[in-house]
């Protein structure tokens, strides 16, 4: 194949790549402005299923509350507008579709652009130094610390690296920061807040943090999505015939997720669940979690989620023997999943909606290209659904989350507002 082509030749080559394409806009500092990327033809069902690729935040778990809080906090720090009276905060309709499900860079870029008039140079400076100091002192993610060091040097505060107590005078370079520099600083502040909260959760302060941030000690900041426990156990063949007993659990979760009562032919659904249980008992599915979060975050989040999943097993209407088996399988998420792919496996500029994380997952699951039609992808966001198709998986199911309800989910073959319970109860996991 030729290495360099002109526009006309490029068009011919592009045409051979398929009928469906998507346009991916790059961050401001990347060449080119956008990319035109081929995506797999949409599939609405599968003859056979061998693997699942699933997003973490909003699909497997809910940590969006924490991310949203940290993003809002970033703007508050950079403007010193801490109360709702001074600044109302993120707007559900206008802002949420732009700050969920994409890469951190894009989320921060959007907010810095949208709320630029609120930012105050002195507060940007102070919050930058404070968050850098915290990250170097207490941060547990090596890559993050390296980025913070790079930024400190870039802005002329490299001395902080070797002297964490060092104080700096404000200087007026902060009056004329470029958008890229503001975003760089915003990212440091965002991560500092997010990791600070994650560390407290790790230290068992979950309910204290919920009380402080959301005035509700019982609010789970990290929690599995409805039906996830049942779905994972079923897919790994841990339920067998007893899958039929989980109809009530799924119907109850359907109601929580969709806000509606489930209606359907109960006895035929139970029969189908039992068949799925048997099918996966003899052929367990390979499962990958694919997240734009960095490894450090995914590790804390998934550890916490699986702790809750183990507790939830007791509420399932299955035999004691199966319960023990599932609890043991859920006791360690790294053993449970076939692979966990995080942003740390790629680079910030190649996260969703780019295909990379999903391509890595498919490779690690050892699914050959001609079997991509036996893979089902689950996502709750616009960029995630695009990433699945861009990785060559045609069956992408969107399970929108309250906070991604404003997203354009056109890339998905199915949009299930009833989440994973709907996928099982209504669609029989899209198996023909
Ligand atoms: Mg998500």
């Amino acid at each position: 194949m030729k290495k360099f082509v002109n526009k006309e030749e490029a068009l011919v080559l592009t045409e051979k790549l398929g009928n469906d394409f998507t346009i991916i806009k790059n961050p401001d500092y990347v060449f080119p402005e956008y990319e035109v990327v081929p995506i797999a033809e949409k599939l609405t069902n599968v003859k056979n299923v061998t693997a699942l690729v699933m997003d973490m935040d909003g699909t497997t778990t809910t940590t969006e509350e924490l991310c949203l809080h940290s993003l809002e906090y970033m703007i508050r720090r950079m403007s010193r507008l801490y109360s709702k009276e001074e600044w109302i905060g993120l707007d559900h309709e206008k802002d949420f579709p732009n700050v969920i499900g994409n890469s951190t860079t894009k989320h921060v870029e959007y907010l810095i652009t949208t709320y630029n008039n609120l930012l105050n140079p002195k507060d940007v400076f102070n919050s930058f130094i404070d968050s850098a100091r915290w990250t170097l002192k207490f941060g547990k993610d090596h890559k993050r610390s390296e980025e913070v060091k790079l930024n400190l040097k870039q802005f002329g505060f490299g001395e902080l690296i070797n002297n964490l107590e060092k104080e700096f005078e404000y200087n007026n370079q902060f009056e004329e920061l470029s958008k890229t520099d503001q975003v760089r600083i915003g990212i440091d502040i965002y991560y500092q807040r997010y990791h600070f909260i994650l560390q407290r959760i790790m230290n068992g302060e979950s309910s204290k943090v919920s009380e402080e941030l959301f005035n509700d000690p019982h609010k789970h900041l990290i929690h599995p999505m409805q039906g996830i426990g049942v779905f994972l156990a079923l897919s790994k063949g841990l339920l067998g015939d007893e899958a039929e007993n989980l109809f009530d659990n799924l119907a109850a979760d359907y109601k929580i997720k969709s806000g509606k009562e489930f209606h359907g032919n109960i006895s035929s659904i139970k029969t189908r669940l039992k068949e799925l249980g048997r099918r996966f008992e003899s052929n367990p599915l390979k499962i990958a979690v694919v997240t734009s979060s960095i490894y450090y975050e995914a590790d804390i989040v998934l550890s916490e989620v699986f702790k809750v999943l183990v507790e939830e097993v007791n509420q399932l209407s299955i035999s004691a023997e199966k319960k023990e088996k599932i609890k043991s399988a859920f006791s360690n998420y790294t053993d449970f999943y076939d692979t966990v792919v995080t942003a740390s496996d790629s680079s910030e500029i190649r996260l969703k909606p780019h295909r990379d994380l999903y391509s890595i997952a498919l490779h690690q699951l050892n699914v050959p290209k001609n079997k991509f039609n036996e893979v089902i992808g689950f996502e709750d966001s616009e960029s995630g659904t695009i990433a699945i198709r861009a990785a060559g998986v045609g069956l992408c199911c969107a399970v929108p989350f309250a906070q991604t309800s404003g997203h354009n989910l056109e890339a998905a073959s199915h949009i299930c507002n009833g989440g994973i319970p709907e996928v099982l109860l209504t669609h029989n996991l899209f198996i023909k």
Side-chain angles (χ1 to χ4, degrees), residues 327-346:
K327 278 192 211 171
S328 141
F330 283 172
S331 65
N332 183 331
Y333 83 88
T334 44
D335 292 341
F336 182 82
Y337 286 113
D338 296 271
T339 184
V340 175
V341 180
T342 73
S344 309
D345 295 305
S346 180

Side-chain angles (χ1 to χ4, degrees), residues 282-338:
S282 37
N283 290 301
L285 299 181
K286 297 179 195 177
I287 311 177
V289 173
V290 181
T291 175
S292 285
S293 296
I294 57 178
Y295 171 76
Y296 167 75
E297 293 159 4
D299 183 45
I300 296 177
V301 168
L302 290 171
S303 301
E304 187 76 12
V305 163
F306 273 66
K307 248 186 243 167
V308 181
L309 283 177
V310 168
E311 286 167 28
E312 285 183 354
V313 171
N314 288 323
Q315 295 154 21
L316 302 179
S317 343
I318 48 173
S319 64
E321 182 201 341
K322 286 267 186 269
K323 280 184 187 171
E324 284 316 306
K325 201 169 150 191
I326 296 170
K327 278 192 211 171
S328 141
F330 283 172
S331 65
N332 183 331
Y333 83 88
T334 44
D335 292 341
F336 182 82
Y337 286 113
D338 296 271

Side-chain angles (χ1 to χ4, degrees), residues 55-61 64 100-102 290-292 352 358 378-384 399 401 404 407:
D55 167 49
M56 185 177 81
D57 279 336
T59 301
T60 305
T61 77
E64 302 291 10
I100 293 170
N102 232 310
V290 181
T291 175
S292 285
K352 305 168 190 177
Y358 278 103
F378 292 92
E379 271 282 356
D380 70 305
S381 72
E382 174 180 329
S383 65
V399 282
F401 183 37
T404 49
H407 280 217

Side-chain angles (χ1 to χ4, degrees), residues 4-14:
F4 300 98
V5 293
N6 62 30
K7 198 159 59 175
E8 283 70 33
E9 291 167 316
L11 271 174
V12 174
L13 284 175
T14 309

